[in-house]
Amino acid sequence: MSVILAGVAFLFFHTAVYASYINPSDGYTNITTYDGYSSGTGWYGTQENNETEPGTATGQGWDLEGFFFNDSTNSLALVGGFDFVKGGSAISTPAYDWVQSGDIFLETTANDNDPTNDNAFYDYVLAMNFTDKTYTVYDISGGGSTNSTTYGGPAAMAGLPLNYTGGGTAVTNSMSFSYVSNLTDTQMGGDLGTGPHNAAFVDLSFLAPNTNFSSFFTMTCGNDVLTGAGTTSGGQVPEPATILLLGFGVAALGARARKKKL
């Protein structure tokens, strides 16, 4: 039984170690959708990796590369060359210190494009605290306020949601999210090209099973916009803690059986 327990523990730690990777072998799918704001080729081609919006600064440090989703665990990964924690201060000069990450917005209702709703028709916002690595989910489908002002950047960014400012209904308590930074393409496993790459991993289990959703993210300068579309899992997957408890239970039963034989 100790062998079984050790195997279960190995499974837990093995999963924890590799949870940050977005390789398809780890269950992640690239759900990024083209935002339609760029034109031309290269850094202004019709893709999201190696693309910023027309008229903005190019380069890996400004690039939002993709949304990746694991529909087995309902884990959504926000990936970019942009440093979500340090913001513009990580790029080069103190002049960019004011550039910070926005929040993650989710739309789940296809017909919720209500012009009287100041949430730009998004139903949920994941209010991200990149300093503390925590976030809280708010339902803003029936109201709530968001800041839709970006500073600088292309005119097309005006009016797009940036961050949560209040109202709505809290769906979750404050939760922690995983964050990895300065990874090479091999370490990230996403076929994203030259790094460094950074990624934040959030849990969308608060959504009902088989929910179609679209996602949105940008930074305060509106230098790049990232959108995605995916579907949540149709069933629950045992958590690592549950697997460990099962292992302990099996081990205990085995020990009891041996005692009876003696």
Side-chain angles (χ1 to χ4, degrees), residues 145-198:
S145 57
T146 61
N147 175 11
S148 59
T149 303
T150 54
Y151 307 94
M157 300 303 101
L160 294 176
L162 174 62
N163 53 33
Y164 169 78
T165 56
T169 303
V171 176
T172 69
N173 295 321
S174 179
M175 301 185 295
S176 298
F177 66 85
S178 300
Y179 187 77
V180 294
S181 60
N182 296 315
L183 299 185
T184 64
D185 187 53
T186 299
Q187 291 172 321
M188 184 61 76
D191 193 23
L192 296 170
T194 303
H197 306 288
N198 311 293

Side-chain angles (χ1 to χ4, degrees), residues 60-68 77-91 99-104 128-133 177-182 188 192 196-201 216-220 224-226:
Q60 180 66 9
W62 293 110
D63 189 23
L64 300 179
E65 297 173 315
F67 277 117
F68 293 78
L78 168 66
V79 182
F82 180 75
D83 191 317
F84 301 106
V85 173
K86 297 179 181 178
S89 63
I91 294 174
V99 180
Q100 299 296 322
S101 293
D103 292 323
I104 300 175
M128 307 292 291
N129 186 327
F130 283 97
T131 301
D132 295 339
K133 310 295 190 306
F177 66 85
S178 300
Y179 187 77
V180 294
S181 60
N182 296 315
M188 184 61 76
L192 296 170
H197 306 288
N198 311 293
F201 297 82
F216 176 89
F217 178 89
T218 190
M219 65 277 274
T220 52
D224 202 0
V225 167
L226 193 63

Side-chain angles (χ1 to χ4, degrees), residues 69-75 203-211 231-239:
F69 187 61
N70 188 322
D71 62 5
S72 294
T73 61
N74 287 321
S75 173
D203 184 3
L204 301 191
S205 294
F206 64 90
L207 295 176
N210 298 311
T211 296
T231 303
T232 58
S233 171
Q236 297 296 322
V237 177
E239 299 177 357

